[in-house]
Amino acid sequence: MSSQRSSATDDKDRQVVVSVRFPSHLLERIQAMAVVLSSTANAVIRDGMEAWVREQAASPEFREASEQYIAKAQARVAAVLAEPPARK
């Protein structure tokens, strides 16, 4: 049991509190879902965001956007590392 407690404590210690604004109708839906699931609105939001991030990260659109981002970043780093032209 103590290892479960320390694991739960470790997970809680790694959480960060953020402020997020929701339209009232969406928050009402989240809260209603939490009640039906005997959960909390925070848990519903965390679970939903985890699923959304996982889905987006696996999408072709994200893969394409990430490849473009990496290419731009590599070009910027190459520009920084490039030798300047010799001054006359």
Side-chain angles (χ1 to χ4, degrees):
M1 280 260 190
S2 65
S3 65
Q4 287 179 342
R5 282 188 197 142
S6 65
S7 177
T9 302
D10 290 344
D11 287 344
K12 192 169 188 173
D13 288 342
R14 287 189 287 250
Q15 292 181 3
V16 178
V17 175
V18 297
S19 176
V20 180
R21 294 175 192 234
F22 289 103
S24 60
H25 70 278
L26 179 56
L27 183 57
E28 288 172 11
R29 292 178 71 196
I30 292 167
Q31 290 170 331
M33 182 168 279
V35 169
V36 169
L37 296 174
S38 298
S39 187
T40 64
N42 287 339
V44 170
I45 293 165
R46 276 193 304 272
D47 291 348
M49 288 308 306
E50 183 67 39
W52 183 83
V53 168
R54 190 173 33 256
E55 178 183 305
Q56 292 300 307
S59 73
E61 295 83 6
F62 180 80
R63 179 164 292 130
E64 182 180 335
S66 65
E67 289 170 359
Q68 290 174 4
Y69 176 85
I70 290 168
K72 288 177 184 176
Q74 288 174 330
R76 289 184 180 130
V77 170
V80 170
L81 298 176
E83 290 291 323
R87 292 187 164 193
K88 293 182 179 184

